[in-house]
Amino acid sequence: MTASEFSKLAGRLMRHPAAPFHEHAVRREVEDICGEHGLPFKRDKYGNVIVRLRTAPKVQPFVLAAHMDHPGFEIVRPLSAKSWLARCLGGVTDEYVRPGVPLRLMPGGIAAKLGRRPGKAKEFELHTKQPVNGSVEFAVWELEDFAVRNGRIHGRGCDDLIGVASILATLIELKRSRARVNVIGVITRAEEIGFL
């Protein structure tokens, strides 16, 4: 797979913001890519995607793993038409969760800011300038989704969508080359919070 093909693959995945328990758009993209390349996959009862290329069944399986989620904020409940209580999910230090940090509410990519902690250590208020019509499910940091500059991939979801892209690229290449393999791609959700 060329660098350009890999960048396109990574870009398809990284253009979908995700947080723990909110990986559905990334998972749909993973499944679409598998379908386009004839890679057999299944979704387990937890929402993980298992992709298997088994052209040599007697060969010991080799497993590749990566996750679809990133640290983010799960909406607990609305506080008003312009504010929500949200729980920070994932391993991030306090320097990244301070009042005024720009966020993006999903779905819709609505601009917001991180507000105060009303008490509990991992819960925060989120605020928008304008009222929001419709539901809000989660929030992510306001960073670019995906870009390639000077041959390097930049984006919010590099951890670990580059790993997901690498698994898919490996399986695509192995299939293209008709390699005799037994490879399993395990693409998980909710890794940021311990695979709950």
Side-chain angles (χ1 to χ4, degrees):
M1 178 169 283
T2 67
S4 175
E5 289 174 315
F6 183 81
S7 289
K8 285 180 185 174
L9 186 67
R12 284 181 65 179
L13 297 165
M14 292 174 64
R15 286 187 175 91
H16 300 288
F21 304 124
H22 301 279
E23 308 93 341
H24 49 279
V26 175
R27 182 176 51 227
R28 188 170 40 253
E29 195 70 54
V30 166
E31 292 172 349
D32 287 350
I33 291 166
C34 288
E36 291 164 17
H37 293 278
L39 294 171
F41 70 91
K42 68 178 183 177
R43 188 186 300 179
D44 71 12
K45 67 181 181 177
Y46 303 105
N48 303 304
V49 179
I50 313 301
V51 187
R52 187 163 201 170
L53 184 61
R54 191 176 184 189
T55 56
K58 293 183 180 180
V59 172
Q60 182 75 15
F62 186 77
V63 179
L64 303 169
H67 58 94
M68 297 178 280
D69 64 318
H70 319 289
F73 298 86
E74 181 176 52
I75 302 302
V76 174
R77 69 176 184 274
L79 299 173
S80 73
K82 298 193 301 185
S83 63
W84 296 261
L85 182 66
R87 182 177 305 112
C88 183
L89 299 175
V92 291
T93 59
D94 283 347
E95 68 184 289
Y96 299 106
V97 287
R98 61 186 187 284
V101 169
L103 302 172
R104 189 186 307 175
L105 298 177
M106 303 305 294
I110 302 155
K113 295 229 183 239
L114 192 61
R116 68 182 187 91
R117 289 184 187 190
K120 294 186 179 179
K122 287 291 221 174
E123 290 187 349
F124 299 84
E125 291 179 1
L126 310 182
H127 303 282
T128 59
K129 290 185 179 182
Q130 303 296 324
V132 173
N133 295 323
S135 66
V136 175
E137 298 173 17
F138 67 101
V140 294
W141 278 263
E142 181 55 63
L143 299 167
E144 64 188 332
D145 291 331
F146 174 80
V148 177
R149 290 191 297 276
N150 299 322
R152 292 181 183 253
I153 293 174
H154 298 262
R156 175 189 325 96
C158 286
D159 170 34
D160 186 41
L161 290 182
I162 295 298
V164 173
S166 296
I167 289 172
L168 294 172
T170 299
L171 291 166
I172 290 165
E173 272 305 303
L174 289 169
K175 185 170 185 189
R176 279 184 190 167
S177 69
R178 300 176 190 253
R180 304 291 297 151
V181 296
N182 188 357
V183 179
I184 303 168
V186 179
I187 301 172
T188 63
R189 61 187 303 255
E191 182 274 345
E192 292 291 343
I193 54 172
F195 300 108
L196 298 178

